[in-house]
Amino acid sequence: MIEKIFKESLRLAGLLRPRYPQSLGSSISNWEDVFHKLGKPIPKLFRTIYSNVSGTERDIKEQELMDFTPGYRLIHISEIVDESDNIKNILIDEKLYDNEVLIPILGNYSSDYICYYKNNDGEELICSLRNDSGELIVKHNSPEKFLETVCEFYVQGVYFLDSDGYLDYDMDKEHIVGSSINHGIAYWNE
């Protein structure tokens, strides 16, 4: 199910920016070895992403192809360990328990992140982590809801291209559509 939703998000992104899906590159053969350096099991979300694509490198030359969501790139597999180390320096509460998992999915140039978070209860959540606050904020109560929301943002025109060809979004529409998909998540009602 999650692979189908991820591929649909790429298809929809490609309708708006035809070169975007290809810009993510193909999966590299040893991507799992890179992930094992994190010392945690590989969540299904990351298996889905990195078995299909490599991601966007921080220094991409064609900036109009950077964003998976407005302002955030899908972190390249070669940078996942460094970006994971970076989030440890940002967190207010660094004391994640041994069985908790926090791995960045998306990042921006200000070192803000969208992260996969598996808590002690085994819940898989998608959270934002802002560099300036160091606080995890729940945005989606599952990886599937995260990807469904991205897809719906494309379908309902929340995401669009600005006059320079960069991915942008309608903030008001984002909260309306986001809250309709992510019931009970405080972030969407702020």
Side-chain angles (χ1 to χ4, degrees):
M1 169 85 163
I2 195 166
E3 184 155 353
K4 182 180 178 183
I5 303 168
F6 177 66
K7 287 182 177 179
E8 178 65 2
S9 73
L10 296 182
R11 185 188 75 77
L12 291 167
L15 293 176
L16 196 57
R17 296 172 295 161
R19 296 182 314 138
Y20 178 72
Q22 185 179 355
S23 76
L24 294 171
S26 300
S27 177
I28 59 171
S29 60
N30 66 339
W31 74 265
E32 290 174 321
D33 295 342
V34 174
F35 237 89
H36 289 307
K37 293 176 185 175
L38 298 177
K40 300 284 183 183
I42 304 171
K44 191 173 185 178
L45 174 63
F46 293 98
R47 285 194 178 281
T48 298
I49 292 169
Y50 294 115
S51 65
N52 285 284
V53 299
S54 291
T56 302
E57 292 178 339
R58 178 178 279 277
D59 61 354
I60 184 172
K61 290 182 181 19
E62 296 179 276
Q63 286 292 298
E64 68 277 7
L65 298 176
M66 182 194 84
D67 301 344
F68 181 78
T69 64
Y72 287 85
R73 69 187 173 92
L74 181 61
I75 296 170
H76 195 275
I77 187 63
S78 66
E79 299 170 355
I80 202 80
V81 172
D82 289 342
E83 296 290 5
S84 292
D85 288 343
N86 195 32
I87 65 172
K88 292 174 188 171
N89 297 325
I90 295 171
L91 284 172
I92 287 176
D93 182 7
E94 295 179 31
K95 299 173 186 169
L96 291 176
Y97 296 99
D98 289 338
N99 58 341
E100 288 186 313
V101 178
L102 182 65
I103 305 169
I105 308 162
L106 309 178
N108 67 18
Y109 290 123
S110 299
S111 295
D112 299 322
Y113 296 95
I114 303 299
C115 301
Y116 167 91
Y117 175 54
K118 184 174 181 182
N119 65 21
N120 281 324
D121 296 328
E123 293 176 297
E124 294 180 295
L125 307 168
I126 304 299
C127 302
S128 65
L129 176 62
R130 293 189 48 93
N131 185 30
D132 58 355
S133 70
E135 184 179 1
L136 281 176
I137 299 169
V138 175
K139 292 183 77 174
H140 310 277
N141 63 9
S142 73
E144 291 83 2
K145 285 293 183 189
F146 162 61
L147 292 172
E148 286 173 20
T149 303
V150 169
C151 288
E152 202 59 29
F153 285 169
Y154 278 108
V155 169
Q156 294 200 33
V158 173
Y159 293 166
F160 60 90
L161 296 183
D162 68 14
S163 60
D164 295 319
Y166 290 88
L167 191 64
D168 204 347
Y169 70 105
D170 179 318
M171 189 182 302
D172 294 332
K173 217 175 186 182
E174 178 193 44
H175 277 276
I176 292 167
V177 174
S179 66
S180 72
I181 298 169
N182 298 281
H183 304 287
I185 304 293
Y187 171 84
W188 297 104
N189 297 315
E190 294 175 351

